């Protein structure tokens, strides 16, 4: 079977699978493209112990997991949570957002260590408030307070940008 036939037969399904994981159409398309490239380069390794569809879905799931563990994904997640905006990326938005993200990083480093620390652990390391409390040796309520204050300070530092009002999520 030719690669074009495989893409035509399985492409839409794999795109749906990737999108369910990464929740971004452009990223899902990139993942599926990577899967087809990897399959094309190493198709002799496919031993037909399962169906081709199952094999490609497994590759797609693995690539999606890799993306979700990546630094890029975690940065975008923090950006969404701080700004309250979605990151559906177009080339124009990406170019404009680049300076905004830089501003966010710079603003993050203006915070005191205790506030910066909880933001990084919570958003980038995806730790729970209970785990953060154990790590920094303070009560969980203190961690929640620091997160709330850190978000508020971050919003103040970046006040000149058109941010939506920060939503204080229940932690």
């Amino acid at each position: 079977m030719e690669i074009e036939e495989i893409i035509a037969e399985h492409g839409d399904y794999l795109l749906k699978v990737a999108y369910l994981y990464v929740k971004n159409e452009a990223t899902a398309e990139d993942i599926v493209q990577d899967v087809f490239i990897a399959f094309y380069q190493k198709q002799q390794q496919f031993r037909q112990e399962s169906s081709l569809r199952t094999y490609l879905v497994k590759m797609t799931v693995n690539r999606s997991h890799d993306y979700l563990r990546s630094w890029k994904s975690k940065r975008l997640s923090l950006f969404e949570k701080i700004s309250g905006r979605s990151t559906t990326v177009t080339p124009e938005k990406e170019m404009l957002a680049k300076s905004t993200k830089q501003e966010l990083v710079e603003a993050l480093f203006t915070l005191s260590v205790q506030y910066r620390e909880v933001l990084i652990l919570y958003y980038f390391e995806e730790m729970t408030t209970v785990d953060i409390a154990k790590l920094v040796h303070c009560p969980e309520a203190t961690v929640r307070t620091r997160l709330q204050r850190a978000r508020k300070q971050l919003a103040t530092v970046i006040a000149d940008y058109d941010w939506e009002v920060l939503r204080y999520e229940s932690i």
Side-chain angles (χ1 to χ4, degrees):
M1 186 180 283
E2 293 293 321
I3 190 70
E4 292 86 8
E5 295 171 1
I6 295 171
I7 292 171
E9 186 176 337
H10 301 290
D12 289 340
Y13 184 73
L14 296 179
L15 186 60
K16 290 175 187 174
V17 170
Y19 183 81
L20 287 173
Y21 282 91
V22 299
K23 299 190 180 23
N24 182 298
E25 190 173 345
T27 304
E29 289 171 355
D30 289 344
I31 288 170
V32 172
Q33 182 179 5
D34 288 347
V35 166
F36 283 127
I37 290 169
F39 176 74
Y40 180 74
Q41 291 172 341
K42 299 177 183 181
Q43 60 187 323
Q44 68 278 2
Q45 292 179 359
F46 176 56
R47 296 179 299 218
Q48 299 182 353
E49 293 174 358
S50 63
S51 70
L52 178 59
R53 183 182 198 122
T54 303
Y55 183 74
L56 293 172
V57 166
K58 185 66 176 170
M59 288 177 68
T60 303
V61 168
N62 288 340
R63 297 275 172 142
S64 298
H65 282 281
D66 291 345
Y67 173 79
L68 292 173
R69 285 190 298 263
S70 72
W71 172 249
K72 180 180 180 183
S73 170
K74 291 178 182 181
R75 262 194 349 237
L76 291 175
S77 176
L78 175 64
F79 181 72
E80 287 176 358
K81 289 176 182 177
I82 296 293
S83 69
R85 296 181 178 185
S86 174
T87 58
T88 303
V89 180
T90 62
E92 296 83 15
K93 284 183 182 180
E94 187 173 342
M95 188 170 173
L96 291 173
K98 199 174 229 183
S99 65
T100 303
K101 289 176 188 174
Q102 181 61 36
E103 186 177 350
L104 177 62
V105 169
E106 290 171 7
L108 184 63
F109 286 106
T110 65
L111 301 178
S112 67
V113 173
Q114 67 182 5
Y115 293 142
R116 184 173 58 225
E117 177 180 51
V118 293
L119 280 176
I120 290 171
L121 292 173
Y122 187 77
Y123 289 108
F124 291 101
E125 298 299 324
E126 297 179 353
M127 294 176 71
T128 65
T129 54
V130 173
D131 293 336
I132 295 170
K134 289 176 185 173
L135 184 66
V136 299
H137 307 293
C138 69
E140 183 185 359
T142 303
V143 171
R144 288 194 306 267
T145 301
R146 286 179 183 173
L147 275 170
Q148 185 179 34
R149 288 179 182 168
R151 290 183 194 119
K152 189 174 182 178
Q153 284 183 16
L154 204 53
T156 303
V157 170
I158 307 176
D160 59 324
Y161 187 75
D162 185 24
W163 294 99
E164 294 178 7
V165 177
L166 286 176
R167 288 179 259 161
Y168 297 111
E169 303 168 6
S170 58
I171 301 171

